Amino acid sequence: MTEPLLCEISMPGRIGFRYPAPDVDPTPLPEGLVRESLPLPELYEPDVIRHFTRLSQLNYSIDTGFYPLGSCTMKYNPKVNEEAARLPGFAHAHPLQPIETVQGSLALMFELQEWLKEIGGFAGITLQPAAGAHGELTGVLIIRAYHEARMDAKRDKILIPDSAHGTNPATSAMSGMRVIELKSDSRGNVDLKALQAECDETLAGLMLTNPNTLGLFDENVEEVIRMVHEAGGLVYGDGANMNALLGIVRPGDLGIDVLHYNLHKTFSTPHGGGGPGSGPVGVAAQLVDFLPGPIVDIIEEGDASEDLPPLYGFVYPSKSIGRVKSFHGHFGMMVRAYIYMRMHGKEGIRKIADYAVLNANYLLARLRNTYHVPYDRICMHEFVVEGRWPEVPDIQALDISKRLMDYRFHPPTNYFPLIVHDALMIEPTETESLQTLDAFADALIKIAEEAHARPELLKEAPHFTPVGRLDEVKAAKELVLCCAVASVSE
Amino acid sequence: MNIPTDLKYTKNDEWIKVDGSTGTIGITDHAQEALSDIVFVEVVVGVGDEVNQGDTCVVVESVKAAADVYMPVSGKVLEVNEALPDSPETINSDPYGAAWMLKIDFSDTSQLDGLMDAAGYEKYLQEKE
Amino acid sequence: MFFPHTPAEEKAMLRAIGVGSLEDLFQAVPAAHRFPELKLPPALSEMEALAEMQELAYANDTARDLVCFLGAGAYNHYIPAAVDSILRRGEFYTAYTPYQPEISQGTLQAIFDYQSLITALTGMDVSNASHYDGATAVAEAVNMAYANFRGKRNRFVLSPALHPHYRDVVRTYSHDSSLQLVGDDLEPQSDPAALIPFINEQTALVVVQYPDFFGRIYDFSALGEAVHRAGALFAVAVNPIALGLLKPPNEFGADIVTGEGQPLGIPLSFGGPYLGIFATRKEYIRKMSGRLVGESVDNRGQRAYVLTLTAREQHIRREKATSNICTNQGLIALASAVYMSLVGKAGLRQVSELCYQKAHYAARQIGRLPGYKLWSQVPFFHEFVVQCPAPVDEINEHLLDHGILGGYDLGKDYPALPDHMMIAVTEMNSKEDIDLLVDMLAEVSND
């Protein structure tokens, strides 16, 4: 059952929406600059609503089921977040208004900055980056600027573990750095010998995801950081996996110099089908001056005795790398993260990590006898199993994933990290119940049995979804990237 | 695994067929199998260009991977396979024949000594697994 | 709080794992730093937390409380109710990136619809699924042009009338001092022809804005020709509402069209999340970064949609990817697709013309006031610059006292333009609003 495209529902002459009539004396339109045709579709509101409502019904989402996607932290998105973000005082504030008129937004941003600094153990922070990868770019540019300011510009090497997310090397290359891949040891930690070999005067920094994408807390993390610092480099922390660390340890305390947060992972702002996210970046004291500007700060102290609140405004760090985005960042996502943190409070923040790690280890315990676990030790908030068995060589992780959809689960992350064959990276998050975890484990165990006894069930899966497996080769070779406008009137 | 004996091979899975001081370059059966269905190929050097060993000369894309093809030896580009971009799947079906990528005129024949022969390449692939 | 675990369940799970307590799960964390005491406020219930949010929100005066004439890259437009009703569907906003197409056809087809709408609006052949905002979209255009010429061309010509934030971001991204970024220290009054002398055979890309930061509209055909004669690429950064009325940039020879999509049904929201529009010609499809949705068939013969050309992206190409972008602005692109499909061909033209007409009425009325002078005679869309008889912040204070959010103080970004205010007018401003503004401005010049 497929849904037509907008251009296919369009009917010449149909009007969807009326604006008020003009109420001013007319001015002639600019000569030679008016367009002759506007090939947009012509629909009326019921068409539009039905079209998008039916499309939504083809989607799987957190609101419909479990999404154990490793490193994505698909936790429940509280509905009150949406209420808060839509409060008119937040939704309709223009970013360039005089600061006296937007003290509410500025106070919110200031508090959020303080909380994120506190959670991470950082001296400074920017809320400007729009997403995790954007935060990574910001962080690597800060590292680069730091070395340049110390006249140490020959430091152009960034070390990245082989388990890292693809954004890490992409970011480093985008920042003009040389990327060297570091291998992991047999327990999934950064290989110290490999690291030592790269510690020289060209080392700008190390990008570390801890816990890493195997879900493992690096057993030598302090040594790793010490080695990089001793060689004159800085350590960038990819904060995608912060869900395991909230209230457990502060990356800044371990020596991480700069780290990005993903508000759309750790702090429950919704994934939106691919964004918007938000990637604040926290930094240690020696990097505060390099942060992108502007940052929110108190520009006039308040007076508690006079019941006078502080005046919040924008400041520009003295050695700032510059803007990474227009305006101030994704304020709408900051509101959601703020109320989420306010509802959790000090104790709740810690419980997030407690339960995220509990849930992951529980699933690991249920699955380890059925699926091979390459790095079998207590995991953090996620773990990796191999989606294959030597005795059924035709079955791959992809087939297991597609069959999971028949059991009404979203598959885990596939084929990542690259260092595990047919990896299935599973992250349950703390908002899933024991019943859901057991149902998921049961399904995976059943699928393992099917793989051995009736492999065609996996190979032909999914059976019960709106569409079956797609011809991706055709999609790439016969590129059709937009609707032909033949049916839309000119 | 098809590894013709009259060719020389690189660690990046390129092959070169030597004919005096002319060489024909492509990627191996192992490479096309690893990439799976190839959907796009672009030769990024032009006829007449002098290109060094190790420089990217062709870019290949499949649904799940993208790869750079590097020059096995330094040389000057004589001819480019104009038909290949229109039928990238030829790399999968005929990697050593119709899917030749470029022909070069190369100066430093000693660079060939650093490449592997068929037996050496086969051994190298086995060790990689 | 959203933790389901009962004490009994927690016990059972710990037993299944084989540890005694939750703390046992964190032994790999260095003891000296484990379980820090976080200085955070205590938890509030939903009711209390929302009340606190309301207090903060009430501390703001917004473009809806005040009569808004502030633009400068973010505009106060009417958002039809249908847009939010779709955005609030959990199936859309709590869904993940559509990597598993079989259970993500809603998101995938909505993005395909969005891509189709943007190509129709801009006159380009293909659009991606979005970039973060108008500023980063321009920075990505610079990256794309650099990669297109394989680093052999390193000169980029930027119009001085390109939004200051966009130029700032391009400079931040181009940390590499081997890139020459030229052109934008020309006088703001300069017209596009003034950029032509900057173009040479080292030029990879020329970027202009349409309407430009000051609201002016130009026919860029001659500039486009000059760019192509030099073998360079031509990028135009647009306001999509303006494209409801004005010639699309393909008619000037644009190779890349970027834009800020916030005017398409996205609330001002104190600066974000917004929408980076990015579209290009078919020759450059593979050079474009960002996600792409393509059409295909499934194994049951149905038409279906899937992320395609993913081999370009960071998760496969890693350090060879042209961009590191992963999460983009999915839900915002959806909002703009709902908006564009609802207002449609007739509606976008209508709103565009309303903005144009009201802005021209305002400009005429203000231009007649003693002490005020229109800065430019070049045709404009819905924003214009006025030289004022007093500092802009003083005028704006006076306007605020009367419930008006005044225009942008250009002196902040263009030192050559002190006391110059940039006024934006949209369909949200009635004739009475505009007359009030004119009266209040007149009061200032009379002082």
Side-chain angles (χ1 to χ4, degrees):
Chain A
M1 189 89 282
T2 51
E3 180 63 25
L5 294 165
L6 290 169
C7 59
E8 291 165 342
I9 314 169
S10 176
M11 192 53 61
R14 187 161 280 160
I15 302 284
F17 193 78
R18 277 181 320 126
Y19 283 94
D23 55 357
V24 297
D25 298 326
T27 308
L29 297 179
E31 213 175 288
L33 285 167
V34 177
R35 76 187 290 163
E36 275 150 30
S37 72
L38 179 57
L40 288 181
E42 295 166 89
L43 307 158
Y44 75 137
E45 188 170 316
D47 272 342
V48 174
I49 291 293
R50 282 192 183 142
H51 174 79
F52 286 104
T53 301
R54 286 201 295 247
L55 284 183
S56 77
Q57 292 169 336
L58 301 174
N59 261 8
Y60 191 90
S61 62
I62 297 179
D63 279 2
T64 45
F66 184 41
Y67 244 108
L69 281 168
S71 271
C72 298
T73 312
M74 299 296 288
K75 65 175 73 184
Y76 176 71
N77 307 126
K79 300 312 162 205
V80 72
N81 288 5
E82 299 308 307
E83 288 291 308
R86 286 165 168 81
L87 289 171
F90 292 142
H92 301 302
H94 189 294
L96 300 173
Q97 289 180 211
I99 55 169
E100 294 78 15
T101 63
V102 283
Q103 287 295 298
S105 297
L106 293 171
L108 187 152
M109 287 176 71
F110 182 81
E111 280 308 311
L112 185 65
Q113 286 173 186
E114 295 298 296
W115 294 346
L116 289 174
K117 285 194 298 192
E118 176 65 12
I119 285 172
F122 292 111
I125 191 157
T126 170
L127 299 177
Q128 209 181 83
H134 205 205
E136 286 179 35
L137 179 67
T138 304
V140 176
L141 288 176
I142 287 174
I143 290 176
R144 200 189 149 113
Y146 170 81
H147 290 306
E148 273 175 19
R150 303 174 83 246
M151 310 302 192
D152 210 353
K154 66 179 172 327
R155 291 185 180 273
D156 67 342
K157 179 169 65 177
I158 296 278
L159 302 176
I160 299 178
D162 52 11
S163 57
H165 194 283
T167 49
N168 288 179
T171 296
S172 301
M174 240 175 124
S175 312
M177 308 301 259
R178 254 188 317 136
V179 173
I180 301 288
E181 202 176 72
L182 276 185
K183 58 181 174 39
S184 308
D185 70 14
S186 57
R187 284 184 62 78
N189 304 311
V190 170
D191 186 307
L192 292 176
K193 276 228 209 46
L195 173 58
Q196 187 59 63
E198 296 291 346
C199 284
D200 58 30
E201 71 284 349
T202 68
L203 179 63
L206 164 75
M207 288 182 89
L208 186 67
T209 307
N210 189 42
N212 62 20
T213 57
L214 300 164
L216 303 172
F217 194 93
D218 196 302
E219 292 164 317
N220 309 309
V221 67
E222 287 188 292
E223 179 62 12
V224 166
I225 294 173
R226 190 199 63 76
M227 285 166 71
V228 173
H229 284 161
E230 203 173 86
L234 295 177
V235 181
Y236 180 91
D238 182 325
N241 291 335
M242 273 303 290
N243 216 40
L245 302 185
L246 298 173
I248 304 298
V249 68
R250 305 192 322 166
D253 291 346
L254 293 174
I256 301 274
D257 300 293
V258 48
L259 173 132
H260 81 266
Y261 297 91
N262 298 71
L263 296 188
H264 50 296
K265 294 185 184 196
T266 318
F267 298 99
S268 88
T269 77
H271 280 78
S278 177
V281 173
V283 295
Q286 79 270 30
L287 299 177
V288 168
D289 291 335
F290 297 94
L291 284 169
I295 311 268
V296 177
D297 206 351
I298 294 177
I299 57 178
E300 258 170 52
E301 291 295 338
D303 190 340
S305 61
E306 301 270 320
D307 219 4
L308 189 69
L311 181 70
Y312 297 97
F314 290 111
V315 297
Y316 225 92
S318 60
K319 303 188 195 128
S320 175
I321 59 170
R323 283 185 165 280
V324 294
K325 192 184 176 312
S326 57
F327 309 116
H328 321 309
H330 284 175
F331 179 75
M333 315 325 282
M334 297 173 207
V335 175
R336 293 169 169 91
Y338 182 100
I339 189 173
Y340 175 78
M341 288 164 77
R342 206 68 183 89
M343 284 175 31
H344 282 73
K346 178 170 126 155
E347 294 75 28
I349 294 278
R350 160 71 189 270
K351 287 219 154 326
I352 293 171
D354 277 343
Y355 288 128
V357 174
L358 176 70
N359 277 2
N361 279 285
Y362 176 77
L363 264 185
L364 176 59
R366 288 235 33 213
L367 293 173
R368 66 154 52 83
N369 296 325
T370 315
Y371 289 81
H372 176 61
V373 183
Y375 301 92
D376 200 350
R377 53 180 173 96
I378 295 277
C379 65
M380 294 272 92
H381 65 314
E382 65 189 7
F383 61 97
V384 179
V385 299
E386 277 185 12
R388 65 172 187 169
W389 299 272
E391 61 274 19
V392 282
D394 268 346
I395 296 293
Q396 302 173 312
L398 180 75
D399 304 310
I400 298 167
S401 293
K402 300 301 181 190
R403 184 62 178 151
L404 262 171
M405 295 182 204
D406 286 337
Y407 286 85
R408 306 189 61 181
F409 291 111
H410 192 285
T413 305
N414 270 184
Y415 298 107
F416 182 78
L418 301 172
I419 53 175
V420 174
H421 271 294
D422 279 89
L424 289 171
M425 196 194 330
I426 297 170
E427 178 186 356
T429 84
E430 73 283 3
T431 60
E432 299 297 335
S433 69
L434 177 58
Q435 289 70 36
T436 305
L437 300 181
D438 277 334
F440 180 68
D442 290 342
L444 274 177
I445 291 168
K446 187 103 204 314
I447 291 172
E449 287 164 20
E450 288 173 354
H452 289 75
R454 295 189 56 197
E456 68 280 2
L457 282 177
L458 279 71
K459 282 301 195 188
E460 288 155 19
H463 302 87
F464 309 127
T465 50
V467 303
R469 293 204 202 189
L470 262 93
D471 187 344
E472 300 193 21
V473 175
K474 181 183 165 80
K477 279 177 68 176
E478 298 166 35
L479 284 174
V480 177
L481 301 170
C482 63
C483 185
V485 292
S487 57
V488 174
S489 65
E490 286 292 301
Chain B
M1 185 61 49
N2 188 8
I3 307 176
T5 47
D6 60 333
L7 307 176
K8 286 237 162 205
Y9 298 88
T10 69
K11 289 207 164 95
N12 198 52
D13 306 313
E14 292 105 8
W15 57 262
I16 178 167
K17 182 170 170 165
V18 179
D19 203 348
S21 69
T22 313
T24 307
I25 293 164
I27 64 173
T28 66
D29 191 30
H30 170 82
Q32 69 77 17
E33 210 176 78
L35 286 166
S36 89
D37 301 277
I38 292 174
V39 296
F40 179 72
V41 58
E42 187 185 3
V43 181
V44 299
V45 293
V47 172
D49 286 352
E50 295 275 359
V51 195
N52 293 323
Q53 185 184 44
D55 284 351
T56 302
C57 53
V58 179
V59 172
V60 176
E61 245 180 64
S62 72
V63 168
K64 57 173 191 161
D68 286 345
V69 179
Y70 304 123
M71 292 283 281
V73 298
S74 307
K76 185 158 108 169
V77 181
L78 293 174
E79 213 186 316
V80 156
N81 187 345
E82 307 272 349
L84 196 54
D86 291 326
S87 52
E89 63 279 1
T90 318
I91 301 178
N92 296 114
S93 56
D94 194 6
Y96 300 109
W100 65 273
M101 293 178 174
L102 59 161
K103 292 192 160 89
I104 61 166
D105 186 48
F106 62 101
S107 31
D108 189 357
T109 48
S110 71
Q111 285 182 331
L112 288 172
D113 300 335
L115 304 182
M116 295 176 275
D117 63 10
Y121 182 57
E122 189 168 354
K123 185 151 169 280
Y124 165 71
L125 288 181
Q126 278 164 3
E127 276 161 15
K128 250 188 12 173
E129 278 306 304
Chain C
M1 226 85 82
F2 305 97
F3 313 124
H5 307 76
T6 68
E9 287 173 339
E10 191 180 312
K11 261 228 207 58
M13 291 169 81
L14 288 169
R15 207 170 35 239
I17 294 166
V19 294
S21 69
L22 288 169
E23 281 79 29
D24 292 344
L25 297 171
F26 297 102
Q27 294 310 302
V29 179
H33 302 296
R34 222 176 342 190
F35 310 138
E37 187 65 21
L38 295 179
K39 290 195 223 58
L40 294 173
L44 293 181
S45 66
E46 178 178 308
M47 210 169 94
E48 293 162 311
L50 192 58
E52 185 174 293
M53 302 308 280
Q54 274 158 348
E55 242 185 79
L56 285 170
Y58 285 148
N60 285 355
D61 287 318
T62 73
R64 297 290 168 97
D65 308 309
L66 305 165
V67 176
C68 178
F69 290 101
L70 180 57
Y75 301 95
N76 181 36
H77 287 286
Y78 181 74
I79 301 171
V83 176
D84 204 43
S85 79
I86 296 295
L87 286 195
R88 290 199 82 151
R89 293 190 70 85
E91 299 95 323
F92 274 132
Y93 84 88
T94 72
Y96 184 61
T97 308
Y99 289 127
Q100 300 287 355
E102 299 89 340
I103 48 181
S104 317
Q105 286 300 297
T107 298
L108 286 163
Q109 191 173 331
I111 298 174
F112 190 87
D113 277 332
Y114 165 81
Q115 287 170 191
S116 307
L117 290 161
I118 295 294
T119 53
L121 193 60
T122 59
M124 294 286 102
D125 298 318
V126 59
S127 160
N128 71 9
S130 70
H131 274 301
Y132 307 133
D133 66 359
T136 52
V138 173
E140 291 282 358
V142 168
N143 274 353
M144 178 171 150
Y146 185 78
N148 181 59
F149 294 104
R150 306 204 151 256
K152 295 201 180 92
R153 289 182 179 232
N154 65 349
R155 189 172 166 88
F156 297 82
V157 180
L158 307 177
S159 161
L162 185 60
H163 196 299
H165 291 183
Y166 299 8
R167 292 183 285 116
D168 276 350
V169 171
V170 169
R171 289 205 152 79
T172 304
Y173 274 51
S174 314
H175 48 82
D176 184 348
S177 54
S178 80
L179 290 196
Q180 296 170 33
L181 300 172
V182 299
D184 62 333
D185 49 9
L186 278 172
E187 281 194 355
Q189 280 275 24
S190 320
D191 66 26
L195 293 173
I196 296 181
F198 287 89
I199 305 172
N200 61 22
E201 69 285 344
Q202 274 298 105
T203 305
L205 183 75
V206 176
V207 189
V208 295
Q209 190 171 319
Y210 176 66
D212 71 13
F213 180 64
F214 308 109
R216 299 173 306 180
I217 42 189
Y218 288 100
D219 182 324
F220 292 118
S221 305
L223 178 61
E225 276 159 26
V227 174
H228 291 137
R229 268 199 303 275
L233 295 180
F234 189 34
V236 180
V238 300
N239 174 340
I241 294 281
L243 291 184
L245 178 67
L246 303 177
K247 273 197 170 136
N250 63 307
E251 295 193 31
F252 308 133
D255 300 297
I256 299 171
V257 175
T258 66
E260 175 50 71
Q262 176 271 325
L264 297 171
I266 314 304
L268 287 167
S269 195
F270 201 52
Y274 288 171
L275 177 65
I277 292 172
F278 199 103
T280 189
R281 292 152 104 70
K282 58 174 163 330
E283 300 89 286
Y284 305 108
I285 288 179
R286 286 191 148 76
K287 303 274 153 63
M288 180 170 68
S289 57
R291 297 209 175 101
L292 276 174
V293 173
E295 193 175 285
S296 185
V297 287
D298 75 348
N299 60 6
R300 305 173 204 162
Q302 301 178 112
R303 182 176 72 184
Y305 298 90
V306 66
L307 290 177
T308 191
L309 298 191
T310 50
R312 303 159 302 125
E313 294 185 64
Q314 49 73 28
H315 58 292
I316 290 180
R317 237 19 197 125
R318 296 175 75 88
E319 68 272 10
K320 299 217 175 105
T322 30
S323 167
N324 70 350
I325 189 164
C326 186
T327 295
N328 50 339
Q329 303 296 98
L331 197 71
I332 310 298
L334 170 66
S336 75
V338 177
Y339 176 85
M340 284 188 275
S341 54
L342 183 68
V343 308
K345 184 183 160 95
L348 197 67
R349 172 69 184 240
Q350 206 186 355
V351 70
S352 197
E353 264 198 69
L354 282 171
C355 292
Y356 179 88
Q357 295 293 351
K358 290 170 188 262
H360 282 74
Y361 171 73
R364 235 182 351 264
Q365 302 296 94
I366 294 171
R368 289 193 193 125
L369 294 176
Y372 291 88
K373 185 168 175 295
L374 293 177
W375 174 69
S376 171
Q377 295 307 312
V378 173
F380 62 95
F381 176 55
H382 73 346
E383 206 163 9
F384 56 92
V385 178
V386 178
Q387 187 173 7
C388 302
V392 174
D393 47 21
E394 270 175 41
I395 300 179
N396 277 338
E397 245 184 77
H398 178 72
L399 292 177
L400 206 53
D401 287 339
H402 290 88
I404 300 173
L405 195 53
Y408 188 66
D409 184 356
L410 279 178
K412 290 190 197 145
D413 301 302
Y414 296 89
L417 300 175
D419 300 351
H420 282 66
M421 181 190 289
M422 186 158 73
I423 294 169
V425 186
T426 71
E427 77 283 5
M428 295 291 277
N429 301 113
S430 65
K431 180 173 182 293
E432 289 70 38
D433 289 339
I434 298 170
D435 290 340
L436 179 66
L437 171 70
V438 174
D439 289 341
M440 292 304 109
L441 287 175
E443 275 184 15
V444 172
S445 73
N446 290 338
D447 288 341

